[in-house]
Amino acid sequence: MLDSNTSVSPESKAEEHLGVVHENLEGWVPALASVSEIHEAVEKAFDYRGDLTITLKDGQKIEGYIFDRKIKGPSLTDCFIRVMPKDRPNKLSIAYSEIAGLAFTGRDTAAGKSFAAWVKRYNEKKAAGEKNIGIDAEPLDD
């Protein structure tokens, strides 16, 4: 469940007609009070296209991108995320049971770069009378 700090962007509302809803998770700090909240937050983190700050139960903070997760059983010790840290070359594997907190601190690099946004730009150019319309993809990094 999203808290009051999360929202659905106008582009996402348009995407609902295409069967896609993109939550604006940037800045969200989910509650991790229950096993189901941890699983839900990790799933959203896995789908997020930006960096997160992961706080471990020992107090260590890791900033990076979650690129994989493995669920090998019902216990949190059986589930792992795989992270590419920002400040280290080695990938890390972290058990869900070691996670004390997650914060969606990085910019979602794909936010606003949806197919619906592309169609909108195309239609605006077409309505303006432009010919040979070609809309190039925008770079993911600004």
Side-chain angles (χ1 to χ4, degrees), residues 1 6 9 23 36 60 78 83 86-88 100 108 110 119:
M1 171 178 270
T6 59
S9 69
E23 297 172 299
S36 64
Q60 181 182 5
D78 297 327
V83 180
K86 263 182 124 168
D87 59 353
R88 302 177 222 185
D108 185 345
V119 169

Side-chain angles (χ1 to χ4, degrees), residues 9 12 25 46 68 72 89 106 110 126 129 140:
S9 69
S12 295
L25 297 172
F46 175 69
D68 192 15
K72 297 180 178 180
K126 186 175 179 181
L140 291 178

Side-chain angles (χ1 to χ4, degrees), residues 6-62:
T6 59
S7 62
V8 178
S9 69
E11 293 88 9
S12 295
K13 289 179 183 175
E15 287 179 340
E16 286 181 35
H17 298 288
L18 299 173
V20 177
V21 176
H22 179 77
E23 297 172 299
N24 181 7
L25 297 172
E26 197 170 318
W28 183 45
V29 180
L32 302 178
S34 69
V35 171
S36 64
E37 287 175 330
I38 292 169
H39 279 284
E40 181 180 342
V42 169
E43 283 304 306
K44 289 181 185 287
F46 175 69
D47 290 337
Y48 190 65
R49 288 130 325 165
D51 286 343
L52 291 99
T53 300
I54 304 157
T55 304
L56 302 180
K57 289 187 175 174
D58 68 4
Q60 181 182 5
K61 290 186 185 265
I62 300 165

Side-chain angles (χ1 to χ4, degrees), residues 107-139:
R107 185 175 67 87
D108 185 345
T109 57
K113 310 237 188 272
S114 68
F115 177 71
W118 184 91
V119 169
K120 180 182 175 201
R121 285 191 308 275
Y122 175 85
N123 288 334
E124 287 170 351
K125 288 185 175 198
K126 186 175 179 181
E130 290 187 38
K131 302 277 185 211
N132 298 323
I133 303 169
I135 301 175
D136 296 325
E138 294 178 18

Side-chain angles (χ1 to χ4, degrees), residues 66-128:
I66 295 176
F67 69 93
D68 192 15
R69 85 275 189 234
K70 305 252 185 226
I71 300 172
K72 297 180 178 180
S75 170
L76 293 178
T77 57
D78 297 327
C79 304
F80 298 85
I81 57 172
R82 295 181 62 210
V83 180
M84 290 187 294
K86 263 182 124 168
D87 59 353
R88 302 177 222 185
N90 298 339
K91 296 174 182 146
L92 302 174
S93 183
I94 302 168
Y96 286 23
S97 61
E98 295 177 34
I99 300 170
L102 284 175
F104 291 70
T105 51
R107 185 175 67 87
D108 185 345
T109 57
K113 310 237 188 272
S114 68
F115 177 71
W118 184 91
V119 169
K120 180 182 175 201
R121 285 191 308 275
Y122 175 85
N123 288 334
E124 287 170 351
K125 288 185 175 198
K126 186 175 179 181

